[in-house]
DNA sequence: ACCATACCTCTCTC
DNA sequence: AGAGAGAGGTATG
């Protein structure tokens, strides 16, 4: 008899032929809405499950062990095939990561970082959610960004339930536009409430060509994104890299900046007035990275970011240990 | 063109 | 314990 009576959910298993560490990837600071979850009713054991959405479809994901060649998916009946396809796209399994690793092999810093972070992949996210997430990222940390995103969903998203996990989808531009700045402020967005509300209104009203950016070249798409209030170089590069098919994007935040300064000796240049700058200008770091890594700049960026942060945690690790 | 400052709020730190 | 700094940044003058 199939399915067996005790099976609470159909588990779809897919094989992957690319390096992947699912937990590391979902927690790598690119996306803010993946949460560890315990599906109810199953003998999930000690296995780690992640709950999130693929184009508004709630899913639970698990990888038996980091780097294992299989992925377990739970989703609503009837959505299995679509979800599996969306997941392959989301995880960019079409990127040949081993080839990227080979191109990085001679770079001692990247090679070292890859050893520790093998299987960390760039994601192909939905643009709207990605944009809002990174508008919220200024002067902020991952934990709080996630909280803000979750509160927006709780307030304005659509309810879903999957194997005991109740969560709401991330709200559309229309819904956030209706919400407005004041209401978003009450959700703890702080000074990011204005920019989020404005972007929502522009996208909802069709005054901002969010969907078209994917087809546009890097420079043009970036300029357009930076036309939005609250979107500068860094946030634009994040959205371009994580959701708009621009692998040459290279978001320069304090961690990446630290990495290129310390590991590659990228130094602030001397300004025209003769005084040395405090730090290398964004455009200088970007140009340097693109010259060095070309279309691999995005992967290099993500590895440098996590790699440099990992160093910090090792050094400071004992300090924060609770007893 | 460069620089300093304010912006909200939360968290960690001393 | 309570104040202060810092947090994956941006716009302004």
């Amino acid at each position: 008899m199939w399915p067996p009576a005790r099976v609470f959910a159909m588990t779809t298993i897919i094989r992957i032929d690319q390096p992947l560490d699912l937990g590391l990837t979902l927690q790598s600071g690119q996306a803010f809405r993946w949460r560890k979850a315990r599906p109810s009713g199953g003998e999930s054991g000690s296995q780690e499950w992640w709950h999130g959405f693929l184009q508004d479809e709630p899913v639970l994901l698990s990888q038996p062990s980091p780097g294992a060649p299989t992925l377990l998916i739970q989703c609503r009946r009837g959505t299995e095939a679509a979800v599996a396809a969306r997941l392959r796209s989301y995880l960019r399994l079409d990127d040949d990561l081993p080839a990227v690793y080979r191109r990085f092999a001679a770079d001692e810093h990247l090679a070292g970082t890859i050893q520790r972070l093998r299987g960390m992949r760039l994601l192909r996210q939905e643009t709207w959610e990605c944009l809002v997430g990174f508008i919220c990222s200024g002067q902020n940390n991952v934990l709080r960004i996630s909280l803000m995103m979750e509160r927006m969903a709780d307030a304005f998203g659509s309810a879903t339930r999957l194997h005991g996990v109740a969560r709401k989808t991330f709200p559309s531009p229309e819904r956030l536009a209706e919400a407005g700045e004041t209401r978003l402020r009450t959700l703890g967005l702080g000074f990011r409430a204005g920019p989020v509300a404005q972007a929502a209104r522009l996208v909802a009203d069709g005054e901002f060509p969010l969907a078209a950016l994917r087809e546009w070249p890097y420079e043009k798409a970036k300029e357009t994104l930076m036309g939005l209030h609250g979107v500068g170089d860094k946030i634009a590069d994040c959205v371009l890299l994580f959701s708009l098919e621009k692998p040459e994007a290279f978001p320069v935040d304090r961690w990446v900046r630290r990495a290129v300064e310390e590991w590659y000796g990228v130094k602030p240049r001397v300004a025209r007035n003769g005084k040395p700058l405090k730090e290398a200008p964004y455009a200088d770091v970007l140009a340097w990275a693109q010259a060095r890594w070309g279309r691999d700049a995005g992967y290099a960026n993500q590895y440098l970011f996590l790699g440099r942060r990992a160093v910090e945690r090792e050094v400071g690790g004992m300090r924060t240990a609770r007893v």
Side-chain angles (χ1 to χ4, degrees), chain A residues 6-118:
Chain A
R6 263 292 293 159
V7 172
F8 66 94
M10 185 86 90
T11 299
T12 305
I13 302 174
I14 64 171
R15 277 200 82 75
I16 52 180
D17 57 1
Q18 278 282 312
L20 171 70
D21 183 330
L22 181 71
L24 176 60
T25 299
L26 298 183
Q27 290 182 103
S28 63
Q30 302 176 66
F32 304 105
R33 292 209 69 211
W34 291 99
R35 300 211 315 210
K36 285 184 191 170
R38 290 255 164 279
S40 65
E43 47 348 301
S44 47
S46 58
Q47 194 159 341
E48 182 175 77
W49 284 88
W50 294 91
H51 184 280
F53 294 88
L54 295 173
Q55 295 173 229
D56 285 351
E57 192 63 45
V59 297
L60 285 154
L61 306 177
S62 185
Q63 186 174 32
S65 63
T70 53
L71 236 38
L72 276 40
I73 309 173
Q74 292 183 18
C75 54
R76 297 196 286 206
R77 255 201 314 285
T79 66
E80 293 85 358
V83 162
R86 286 177 195 180
L87 182 60
R88 288 183 183 280
S89 168
Y90 185 81
L91 295 173
R92 299 194 70 100
L93 296 178
D94 46 321
D95 281 348
D96 187 353
L97 194 51
V100 176
Y101 287 167
R102 286 195 290 276
R103 294 194 286 274
F104 287 167
D107 183 316
E108 77 173 292
H109 300 290
L110 278 178
T113 304
I114 287 164
Q115 268 195 335
R116 317 176 29 154
L117 304 176
R118 181 169 296 278

Side-chain angles (χ1 to χ4, degrees), chain A residues 146-159:
Chain A
S146 305
L147 198 65
M148 286 157 52
M149 296 292 278
E150 204 66 15
R151 285 199 285 244
M152 282 187 265
D154 284 341
F156 303 110
S158 305

